[in-house]
Amino acid sequence: MKKRLNPRHAMLGGAILVFIAAFILSILIAVTIGAVKVSLSDVYRIVLYQLTHIRIGEEKFLTSGTMYEIVWNLRMPRVLMGALIGVLLSTCGVVMQATVQNPLADPYILGISSGASLGATFSIMIGASAVFTGALATMGTAFWAFFGALGAMALVMLLAHMGGGRLTSAKLVLAGCVVGSLCGAFTNMMVYVGKDAENMKTVTYWLLGSMVSARWPRLLLPGIVTAVGLLFFLTQLRTLNTLLLGDEAAITLGVDLSKRRRIYMILTSLLSAIAVCTCGIVGFVGLMIPHIVRGFAGSDHRFLLPLAALSGGIFLVWADVVARILIPNTEIPLGVITSAIGAPIFVYMMVRRSYGFGGKD
Amino acid sequence: MELETKEVSVTLSRKEIVKQASLQVRDNAFVGLLGPNGSGKTTLLKSIYRVLKPSGGVIRIDGADIRTMSHRETAKRMGVVSQFNALSFDFTVEEMVLMGRAPHKRAFDRDTEEDYRIAEDALRRVDMLDFRDRSFQTLSGGEKQRIILARALAQQVEMLILDEPTNHLDIKYQIQIMDVVKSMGVGVLAALHDLNLTLMYCTYVYVLKDGRIIAHGPTEEVITEQLIRDVYEVDCAVARHPVSGKLSVTFFSTL
């Protein structure tokens, strides 16, 4: 008897290769698109020179000037940031859904988004310097968003642990809801009593996510974090599969459930907090991409995780392109685009496919 | 492998469900765990397969306290088929059975030909090989139960813990599941509610009532009209069946 060359596995393996190609291609194409017209050859000459130092044309044009600034210092980091955050959020989404065994889970489920919103709103509407002195007073919105996200996460974990017993997914989800509405209440109050219309716009903008602020130095942290996170979870594929079978089955198949769940929770929360403080709250990606990919690739994480990570990157790169160019001279918040594109795809899946979204029929 | 619980107590929401239960499953013995609903069978089993922590006592595998073992270690030696609980995400039947190999795998191990052979073999033994590319969610309750048993077979354990594994099954599959389990030749601890099935397969039984083990011994000696009346509160006749020659229980209506 031999191992069958499972045609489905072969197909999905091929799909991973195709998606890697599409991922790279998306980045290369997205760099050429933008509000300012830059010719295709100019774009690629600049990118080629910066990456490999192969010089085609004048060196001065390739290393300075408006075109160089736009292509290499604005567009490229922005496109890469989109790709990174997309990978990060969809990876977190996949892991979260397995960890809490709940198809509604997304990277923000543990109150991450509401905590980050609270922190960011506080920083924008009230300002850290109005309350704190010293180092805290000088911290920017990103810091407060990160701080808020971690605070909310800690509170959720604490609530879920209260009353003893094992860390169950139901407790985690409920605690996430509680902390979410608590943070939401404070956020709304700050927005309500705040009088500055400009600040209000900044808050809204921030809450809906954007890649505007992407620059090379700001890529470093999300870049490292995404790489490390993805590599770690790629070693956990079998355990993730086992988690989907439910608490009891996972334990009897040798998974130390409480420990794993805690590690995955803390890690995905940290990763999502990094994403949130880098570019605000980009909704829907972490929820939708895992479901769409599961729809054609199945629940096996050996295929699901890499495919979802790549799809998330591709999706966000293109969503950001749309955000940049749909309305001339105006940036549309990324969260609006992701939801506007994502919702119809989701509905299409619900209507057309037999995919059950993890429902129990 | 030898399993032993020594004065194990389990407390759930401040209520002591299992009270100082001591039992023993010797190498390759087929041991039944009897008792009415709510007597603590499932709770005791769950503490053995580590889903619940006992509030007192100790559980040993070959003399070693299971608390000193990793979950992986116990999963390599002890498999579980419980009353089926629903899944939120779907897998194919083959993927499901291959997951029985999980405790034997390290982080980057791939499924080998050996794993596929073991899974195929397990599916054949529960008569489900034709279903291997089917989606697990679309199976009937009985079919699902047989796949879970196949998964436990693929786990290649030395002992099986069964929690009413034949619930909701047609009589044909009740017998098939019990036959497959028996033919494995491993130690078995099974909570059963069907006394006749117990008489057919178990060589030794423990009887739980209100969380305490109130009787144990060779099956035919323990299952008596008196005991059934005491434990299950029904009248019955226990007699040797004229055809099979085995003891069988006939219940009487209270009307």
Side-chain angles (χ1 to χ4, degrees):
Chain A
M1 262 171 285
K2 46 192 338 190
K3 172 177 170 179
R4 295 178 307 155
L5 184 64
N6 191 325
R8 222 176 119 246
H9 287 185
M11 205 187 72
L12 289 171
I16 292 181
L17 294 180
V18 172
F19 274 62
I20 291 175
F23 183 78
I24 297 169
L25 215 61
S26 294
I27 292 174
L28 289 179
I29 297 172
V31 185
T32 67
I33 306 170
V36 181
K37 264 233 162 304
V38 186
S39 81
L40 225 59
S41 86
D42 285 353
V43 170
Y44 287 131
R45 277 191 300 147
I46 293 170
V47 173
L48 188 72
Y49 180 75
Q50 293 296 337
L51 288 178
T52 62
H53 280 268
I54 295 171
R55 187 163 58 83
I56 305 169
E58 266 181 84
E59 185 156 354
K60 190 156 169 289
F61 174 80
L62 300 176
T63 55
S64 61
T66 323
M67 291 304 155
Y68 162 78
E69 284 297 329
I70 288 175
V71 171
W72 190 250
N73 282 340
L74 290 176
R75 277 192 201 163
M76 198 64 186
R78 182 167 179 162
V79 169
L80 288 179
M81 184 70 96
L84 272 179
I85 298 296
V87 169
L88 192 57
L89 288 178
S90 45
T91 303
C92 287
V94 168
V95 175
M96 278 284 183
Q97 284 169 10
T99 309
V100 301
Q101 292 152 35
N102 189 325
L104 285 178
D106 75 358
Y108 305 139
I109 191 136
L110 286 190
I112 300 284
S113 62
S114 44
S117 310
L118 182 60
T121 311
F122 164 75
S123 161
I124 295 167
M125 297 301 285
I126 298 175
S129 53
V131 183
F132 297 104
T133 54
L136 279 180
T138 61
M139 291 297 185
T141 305
F143 168 82
W144 286 104
F146 187 68
F147 187 76
L150 288 193
M153 175 196 116
L155 195 58
V156 169
M157 295 297 259
L158 198 73
L159 282 176
H161 272 293
M162 255 167 30
R166 237 156 12 90
L167 189 61
T168 64
S169 49
K171 277 191 202 166
L172 277 169
V173 174
L174 285 175
C177 285
V178 170
V179 172
S181 46
L182 190 70
C183 290
F186 284 119
T187 307
N188 286 332
M189 199 182 78
M190 275 193 267
V191 172
Y192 185 72
V193 300
K195 296 192 176 58
D196 193 327
E198 192 53 40
N199 279 352
M200 210 120 61
K201 206 176 157 199
T202 316
V203 167
T204 317
Y205 200 75
W206 195 90
L207 292 185
L208 290 169
S210 168
M211 298 289 165
V212 172
S213 62
R215 298 291 181 277
W216 283 110
R218 298 202 61 185
L219 277 173
L220 187 67
L221 181 65
I224 294 171
V225 159
T226 307
V228 172
L230 194 60
L231 279 178
F232 172 74
F233 285 123
L234 284 175
T235 68
Q236 304 291 312
L237 300 176
R238 207 177 281 275
T239 309
L240 286 168
N241 279 348
T242 323
L243 284 182
L244 286 188
L245 301 180
D247 291 13
E248 206 172 292
I251 290 173
T252 61
L253 289 173
V255 175
D256 190 344
L257 192 67
S258 290
K259 190 174 129 203
R260 286 286 138 188
R261 185 170 274 159
R262 202 166 301 132
I263 294 174
Y264 294 170
M265 276 299 167
I266 291 174
L267 216 60
T268 43
S269 304
L270 275 173
L271 295 183
S272 340
I274 298 272
V276 161
C277 80
T278 317
C279 60
I281 298 162
V282 184
F284 228 54
V285 179
L287 173 70
M288 175 189 68
I289 297 288
H291 278 301
I292 291 178
V293 176
R294 210 177 275 117
F296 66 83
S299 302
D300 187 339
H301 283 88
R302 285 172 298 177
F303 302 105
L304 173 60
L305 191 79
L307 283 173
L310 290 165
S311 308
I314 295 168
F315 176 73
L316 217 52
V317 165
W318 287 107
D320 186 48
V321 167
V322 174
R324 281 187 281 153
I325 63 165
L326 191 64
I327 305 176
N329 302 322
T330 310
E331 283 262 351
I332 306 171
L334 195 53
V336 173
I337 304 291
T338 53
S339 302
I341 301 177
I345 299 180
F346 223 42
V347 171
Y348 172 77
M349 280 186 63
M350 286 165 67
V351 176
R352 259 233 43 214
R353 296 195 58 102
S354 53
Y355 178 61
F357 289 92
K360 288 177 180 136
D361 300 321
Chain B
M1 156 179 149
E2 198 171 293
L3 172 77
E4 182 192 21
T5 73
K6 191 134 181 119
E7 289 169 10
V8 165
S9 302
V10 186
T11 307
L12 294 177
S13 341
R14 298 206 194 98
K15 192 172 182 300
E16 199 168 50
I17 308 289
V18 175
K19 296 159 189 158
Q20 292 166 5
S22 298
L23 59 77
Q24 221 178 16
V25 184
R26 289 188 192 288
D27 226 6
N28 304 342
F30 203 122
V31 175
L33 187 59
L34 299 176
N37 292 338
S39 60
K41 300 188 297 284
T42 297
T43 307
L44 176 57
L45 291 185
K46 280 189 175 176
S47 72
I48 292 173
Y49 60 78
R50 308 184 77 175
V51 166
L52 295 174
K53 280 203 178 82
S55 50
V58 56
I59 298 162
R60 295 201 187 94
I61 290 176
D62 287 337
D65 189 336
I66 56 165
R67 283 171 294 191
T68 64
M69 299 180 197
S70 70
H71 281 76
R72 255 171 71 98
E73 237 171 290
T74 42
K76 277 188 207 171
R77 315 190 61 182
M78 188 164 70
V80 178
V81 178
S82 61
Q83 297 165 54
F84 179 69
N85 31 24
L87 270 187
S88 296
F89 296 92
D90 203 12
F91 286 98
T92 68
V93 164
E94 186 175 52
E95 283 168 345
M96 199 71 180
V97 177
L98 275 171
M99 273 192 251
R101 304 301 300 151
H104 301 278
K105 295 286 175 183
R106 296 248 156 232
F108 281 116
D109 285 354
R110 297 168 60 94
D111 291 331
T112 61
E113 282 195 22
E114 173 80 359
D115 295 321
Y116 277 88
R117 192 188 58 71
I118 291 167
E120 192 175 320
D121 204 39
L123 277 172
R124 187 170 296 122
R125 284 176 75 178
V126 297
D127 203 9
M128 291 289 285
L129 191 56
D130 293 342
F131 287 68
R132 68 172 162 198
D133 294 320
R134 277 275 292 276
S135 133
F136 183 77
Q137 301 263 52
T138 64
L139 303 181
S140 74
E143 289 164 344
K144 283 179 180 165
Q145 193 67 314
R146 284 146 70 197
I147 299 305
I148 302 295
L149 177 63
R151 190 175 75 198
L153 292 178
Q155 218 172 323
Q156 295 189 316
V157 288
E158 299 158 55
M159 179 161 294
L160 272 181
I161 311 288
L162 311 176
D163 189 357
E164 306 202 349
T166 56
N167 252 4
H168 316 300
L169 293 194
D170 287 344
I171 184 67
K172 173 184 170 189
Y173 294 117
Q174 291 188 18
I175 289 174
Q176 186 200 42
I177 285 209
M178 296 300 276
D179 279 348
V180 169
V181 169
K182 185 129 198 165
S183 71
M184 284 171 69
V186 298
V188 176
L189 176 60
L192 295 168
H193 58 176
D194 186 321
L195 293 174
N196 285 316
L197 220 51
T198 310
L199 281 162
M200 278 169 76
Y201 291 97
C202 299
T203 49
Y204 200 91
V205 289
Y206 289 86
V207 182
L208 268 175
K209 190 186 180 190
D210 297 328
R212 280 183 205 288
I213 290 177
I214 56 152
H216 63 94
T219 314
E220 298 210 341
E221 288 171 28
V222 171
I223 296 182
T224 59
E225 287 164 13
Q226 184 62 44
L227 177 107
I228 291 169
R229 195 171 304 122
D230 289 349
V231 174
Y232 292 94
E233 293 163 21
V234 286
D235 288 321
C236 68
V238 178
R240 220 158 266 291
H241 192 276
V243 179
S244 71
K246 293 213 168 217
L247 274 190
S248 80
V249 183
T250 310
F251 297 101
F252 301 135
S253 160
T254 51
L255 288 177

